Amino acid sequence: MSQASVRSKAITIDSSVISLSTCTLVLLGFLQTSDQFIHWFIIPIALSGILIGIDAVDWFRGRLGIFDPVGIFGVLGFHFFFIAPLLHVSLDLWLVYVTPPPDWRPWLGEMAALNFLGLWIYRLVRNMGVSPQCYSPQTVIWKFNRHRFSLLLTGALIISALLQVLVYIKFGGIVSYIETAADANFGAEAFSGMGPLFMFSESFPILAMIRFVAYAQKKQSWQTVSVLVTVLILFIILRLFFGGLRGSRSNTIWAIFWAVGMIHFWIRPISKKAIALGLAGLVLFMYIYGFFKSGGLEGLKTAFESQDARVNMEQTSGRSWKSLLLQDLGRSDIQAFLLYRLTKPDSDYEYALGRTYWAATTTLIPGAIFPNRPLSKSKEGTDAQYGMNSYTPGKFESSKVYGLAGEAMLNFGPLAIPLSFIVLGFVVGYVRRCSFTWHPLDTRSLLLPFLANFCFVVLVSDLDNDIFFLFKQGAFPFFIILLSSKSYVYPLAGRQIARDT
């Protein structure tokens, strides 16, 4: 065994011990709060936490890069697979409007056991061919053609801004736009079919940030902390104006993640301390923004009137810090409930056998071109939760997001859950290989934070959400980068490339 292999093994064992110790301490803390944790379900949950926690520990210890998709997925996955199911039991917070199982814990445990198998498969697939020694001694590097970049990006910014103004005009102004988005009954219908338009109109902040980092890279005075903080604040304001006022927390949060990542790769490294402070601020932002999503400007005003008003609004809207942690950043209860429903002896559910995946591939096709579009996952999800033929379009349909494992269950049953992690391993492995082979000054590296973000989206979302995320958030910026770049071939050994090319 080579010295490098020994060192790598030692690191894994070391991180494993820390992950085991951390999970043990967390479990002991939960055991002190309730006797509900004296149950076998904590064993597979703990095993999943230990396994995914190894990557989280490596990230915290600096053995993985700040934006390494393995480390980011490890940190978020530690919450998803370990903390979230334990919090459900501790807080006694579960899926509503369904007939629950007599005891949620066995189904959380069985789901965790399947996830544990899936995580092993994920690690195996993700690590295939990741070593830099597996690659060709040459690599293709994309560099901006400065003249073409300036013309294209200026035109794209103008088009994006004009389209966003037209969106506001269509809804009768910004205030009317916000009120429409906050209307639970009319909002979704009012924005239906506008995805292709939003793909262009809401790209302005990201395009502006690409322009900034491309030019700030050459100007030392633009690389100071004060300038970068100011730029990020302006970016957040722009992001709110370009799409954020529709109440989409995830769109805003992931855009900020992308902007910070571009600064990290192209201007100056971001420290873990700054990342930690930023995450705390983002969680607070998501909590406050939930009131805006539910009630618009009036909801935001009510939430700040008093603590009683805020608590009352949390109860009526369901937008609390608990729902943020367990519903926005987790899928434990919906997946456990699906497992319970689909394995009941009297279950009448008929597996979709790939129908939700087929329907997802048609989401970007306009209705005028494809009028007989297949029914979305709403039908399968509704029938799985409430019984076959429960689905009634426009009257009774579930809008839940089931996640990678949940959608696999809807299509092929519980045994498909571990196999669905092959997709996750492939996506994370691919993004990581890109981070190894793309030169730091390759224009494609501007997309790395977006791709790292996509790795977690694959876990918590369904295929239609994944496709929408890729095209709505990333297609226009990628198109501009592609048209503005020229490719060169450089040896991997010569990683230093002049910044002025």
Side-chain angles (χ1 to χ4, degrees), residues 67-85:
F67 284 88
D68 189 315
V70 169
I72 292 171
F73 185 81
V75 173
L76 296 174
F78 187 75
H79 168 79
F80 185 92
F81 293 107
F82 181 61
I83 300 296

Side-chain angles (χ1 to χ4, degrees), residues 120 161 265 290 306 347 378 407 416 458:
W120 276 111
F265 283 114
S306 66
S347 173
S378 294
E407 189 172 16
V458 168

Side-chain angles (χ1 to χ4, degrees), residues 132-398:
Q133 285 81 5
C134 298
Y135 303 119
S136 166
Q138 289 185 325
T139 185
V140 175
I141 298 176
W142 290 18
K143 301 289 293 180
F144 277 134
N145 178 311
R146 292 286 171 175
H147 178 68
R148 193 192 311 162
F149 171 71
S150 179
L151 289 176
L152 283 172
L153 199 55
T154 300
L157 288 168
I158 293 172
I159 291 171
S160 180
L162 289 175
L163 288 175
Q164 186 61 46
V165 170
L166 290 175
V167 169
Y168 285 132
I169 292 174
K170 170 182 169 61
F171 287 94
I174 294 178
V175 174
S176 178
Y177 173 88
I178 294 172
E179 291 173 348
T180 302
D183 190 323
N185 299 317
F186 179 66
E189 181 181 345
F191 291 109
S192 178
M194 297 185 69
L197 174 59
F198 291 153
M199 180 178 75
F200 295 99
S201 68
E202 297 179 1
S203 293
F204 186 95
I206 285 295
L207 294 173
M209 181 59 75
I210 290 174
R211 181 161 199 152
F212 169 76
V213 298
Y215 287 99
Q217 186 188 79
K218 296 176 175 295
K219 295 182 179 292
Q220 199 72 27
S221 60
W222 290 16
Q223 299 177 17
T224 63
V225 173
S226 58
V227 169
L228 296 179
V229 169
T230 301
V231 167
L232 281 175
I233 292 173
L234 291 174
F235 175 84
I236 294 172
I237 294 171
L238 282 174
R239 187 59 200 167
L240 290 174
F241 184 81
F242 287 87
L245 296 179
R246 280 193 294 118
S248 178
R249 292 182 291 184
S250 59
N251 282 349
T252 304
I253 294 300
W254 298 141
I256 296 171
F257 179 88
W258 190 354
V260 172
M262 285 193 281
I263 290 174
H264 174 80
F265 283 114
W266 273 55
I267 299 179
R268 62 184 297 163
I270 306 295
S271 67
K272 282 191 172 66
K273 182 179 179 181
I275 293 289
L277 291 173
L279 285 175
L282 288 179
V283 170
L284 178 61
F285 170 83
M286 290 177 72
Y287 171 68
I288 295 173
Y289 206 58
F291 298 117
F292 175 79
K293 181 178 178 66
S294 300
L297 295 174
E298 188 62 31
L300 201 59
K301 178 182 176 183
T302 301
F304 282 96
E305 285 180 352
S306 66
Q307 184 176 353
D308 291 340
R310 185 164 58 253
V311 171
N312 181 63
M313 192 166 184
E314 285 183 359
Q315 294 173 346
T316 56
S317 67
R319 302 288 175 180
S320 65
W321 67 268
K322 298 175 185 178
S323 66
L324 167 63
L325 292 176
L326 300 182
Q327 295 174 14
D328 292 1
L329 299 177
R331 297 287 182 265
S332 297
D333 58 346
I334 182 60
Q335 293 181 354
F337 182 74
L338 285 181
L339 186 61
Y340 160 70
R341 286 283 300 173
L342 300 186
T343 56
K344 286 182 66 176
D346 60 346
S347 173
D348 62 350
Y349 178 70
E350 298 175 4
Y351 292 118
L353 301 178
R355 285 193 299 271
T356 73
Y357 300 127
W358 162 239
T361 63
T362 68
T363 54
L364 298 177
I365 304 176
I369 300 175
F370 194 1
N372 297 318
R373 183 181 298 165
L375 294 174
S376 69
K377 68 188 178 191
S378 294
K379 178 189 183 308
E380 318 298 344
T382 304
D383 288 347
Q385 292 174 74
Y386 302 102
M388 287 302 294
N389 302 317
S390 298
Y391 175 74
T392 306
K395 294 182 179 179
F396 188 79
E397 54 183 311
S398 174

